[in-house]
Amino acid sequence: MLNIIPFLYSSVFTLILFFIYSLEYSFIPYVIGELLIFYLASISFRGRILRSILWLIGINIVSLQVISIISTGDYILPLTFSNLNAFRSVGGGALTKFLLVYSLYLISFILLFFTSRKIAKVFILPTFLLFLLNGPTYNLLKSLFDYYRQESFVSKFDKSILDKYYKKDIVFNSDKSNLLGKTNVRNVIIIFMEGTSAIIPEYKLGDTYIMPNFNKLLSNSFSVENFFNHTAATYRGLRGQLSSSYQLRGGFYIEDRNKGIGQMSNSDIVAKYSNGIVTLPKILNSVGFNTSFIVNEPATGNMTTYIKSLGFKKVYSSEESGWNSKNSLPDKLAFDSLKRVVSNQGADKPFFIGIYTAGTHHGMDSDDLKFKDGKNPYYNKFYNADVWLGEFVNWFKNSEYYNNTLLIITADHATFPAPDYKESFNTDVSHFVDRVPLVMIGADMPIKKFDAEGRTSIDLTPTVLDLLDINKFDNYFLGCSLFDKGCNSKFSHSTAIGHGFFDIRKENGVYKAILTEPNSDIMEYYNISE
């Protein structure tokens, strides 16, 4: 009996976790099966060291994969390794929970020392199944391979690729006058809300919306439906939307080799990205705009340097927003800073202001306002963001800027489909691709809903330029204006997250993201956008 106690303990603990967190039961046979294979193989050895090492390897693989299933609803993905160094952004509560789960799994390692020393060596043989079964070990190795392929990518610049996407204009057949009427857009403000899928402002708990202010905007503004994120996460999302492009390089990688943007030195970021592809702020600078962006990090932060590389004349750090902490700028201060920056704009030049609000990041809870009893972190953080968003929108509508300024509210990318998120908002989305909100507010903007029909955020910059009647400029954009009736871009219904590729298709009357094979055109484009 003592021989099977470590296996029984780890198996029962796994089943308890699946029950507590309402995880997908289809994972259970693979997880329990691999625990059994690792355990039988480990106790086949006479030497205590070999037995301990093999069982420890098995416990680590299984425990980390179960933690990933709890957090994301799936095995560890390459994106997990890419963002490993950004662990602080997931929030202290989540980290504590994961460390507790991991520690409780390690108890089975201690129990191994109370088992008999040896069983028949024949039990070593089934270990080859670990590499055949679509379970924790196989998927971990696959993710590591995909991550290595992504991390080791070296761009091979070819001018012919650049020339292939060169254009002198972007809007060819815009229908905006029929859709919007006459608009008087002089200035633009874009709010990129961290990880906010469209379902969140639409979601109602009982008689109460989680984001009541945002929900009102969906019916009291120009609201775009069936609009998807074209990439993730934040580093890719902000640059991709502001340049109508994709990039392979993510924010962080498992080893600090100056590969991820969040790990590079400021000078390397400037050298690699400042003279890169054409961006929205660079174009607006060339026609006399004042361009600025409000970030959530200190002046020395990589995000701050990265946003500067996109061509903004002024980037406001978290210190300039009154926040002297390494933690992300709270949403209240972010929107207060936005009001201050808008108010300081002179009347001599048009302006473009962007802002990224980080309070709704995966794993975080609101450190300010709470939703009802405050027990659900997802409800708390989105409710908190909504209060300060609503306060800013009210201020904007009563300001002198309302008559000639277009306010756009969207997201840097969709919400990460963790199990807690899916349960909280009653959604079965399975990919890091989903509908994201896009609303446009201004005195001349009509109140109506516009169907994007599965188009993605790669079309954001061309749409903004269309609204500003700016379309004669050199560019390498992959998307086109949402109002362009003649849009024939082969990218406008495609999402790429590193080496993960998706098509946005309509099935049974609903637009959804479908996982596809690698997109050779996007992979080619990675060479000039990195």
Side-chain angles (χ1 to χ4, degrees), residues 98-117:
F98 298 153
L99 287 173
L100 177 61
V101 170
Y102 178 72
S103 299
L104 291 174
Y105 262 112
L106 286 183
I107 290 177
S108 68
F109 175 71
I110 299 174
L111 293 174
L112 182 70
F113 291 90
F114 297 96
T115 64
S116 300
R117 295 177 60 187

Side-chain angles (χ1 to χ4, degrees), residues 151-168:
E151 185 187 20
S152 59
F153 171 83
V154 177
S155 61
K156 300 175 182 177
F157 184 82
D158 185 338
K159 190 175 184 301
S160 64
I161 299 176
L162 197 65
D163 292 341
K164 179 178 178 179
Y165 295 102
Y166 173 76
K167 308 177 190 69
K168 283 189 174 296

Side-chain angles (χ1 to χ4, degrees), residues 298-502:
T300 57
N302 283 33
M303 175 64 77
T304 307
T305 303
Y306 182 61
I307 294 297
K308 287 180 180 178
S309 75
L310 300 183
F312 289 95
K313 292 181 178 178
K314 171 66 178 177
V315 175
Y316 294 89
S317 65
S318 58
E319 294 99 331
E320 292 173 280
S321 297
W323 184 249
N324 294 299
S325 170
K326 292 183 179 179
N327 295 327
S328 297
L329 179 70
D331 285 348
K332 180 182 186 303
L333 289 182
F335 283 108
D336 284 345
S337 184
L338 180 57
K339 282 190 293 185
R340 185 165 54 252
V341 172
V342 173
S343 298
N344 289 336
Q345 298 300 312
D348 56 327
K349 289 184 177 182
F351 63 81
F352 168 58
I353 301 171
I355 182 173
Y356 164 62
T357 62
T360 50
H361 201 284
H362 174 62
M364 292 182 67
D365 195 347
S366 169
D367 55 4
D368 191 1
L369 305 175
K370 307 289 185 181
F371 180 79
K372 292 190 175 180
D373 60 13
K375 293 182 179 179
N376 187 307
Y378 280 97
Y379 298 159
N380 291 339
K381 64 185 178 184
F382 284 110
Y383 170 76
N384 177 68
D386 181 73
V387 169
W388 305 120
L389 171 67
E391 196 270 343
F392 174 79
V393 171
N394 288 335
W395 174 87
F396 171 72
K397 286 184 175 181
N398 290 288
S399 73
E400 61 185 287
Y401 305 98
Y402 181 64
N403 289 326
N404 62 5
T405 301
L406 176 66
L407 172 62
I408 297 175
I409 304 170
T410 186
D412 61 339
H413 54 76
T415 309
F416 192 80
D420 287 351
Y421 160 69
K422 293 195 284 188
E423 181 180 1
S424 296
F425 291 94
N426 192 28
T427 178
D428 61 356
V429 63
S430 55
H431 302 302
F432 201 4
V433 188
D434 199 3
R435 295 182 301 116
V436 291
L438 177 62
V439 298
M440 303 181 188
I441 304 166
D444 294 329
M445 292 298 293
I447 297 175
K448 67 188 305 181
K449 293 186 182 296
F450 175 79
D451 191 350
E453 299 179 338
R455 301 267 290 274
T456 71
S457 54
I458 204 166
D459 293 335
L460 181 65
T461 280
T463 301
V464 171
L465 291 166
D466 188 8
L467 289 167
L468 290 168
D469 290 319
I470 302 172
N471 70 320
K472 298 295 181 182
F473 51 86
D474 294 348
N475 73 92
Y476 303 96
F477 295 161
L478 300 184
C480 45
S481 171
L482 289 170
F483 308 126
D484 184 357
K485 294 187 299 182
C487 178
N488 58 0
S489 169
K490 57 187 174 184
F491 301 102
S492 285
H493 292 84
S494 298
T495 293
I497 305 174
H499 282 291
F501 300 93
F502 305 83

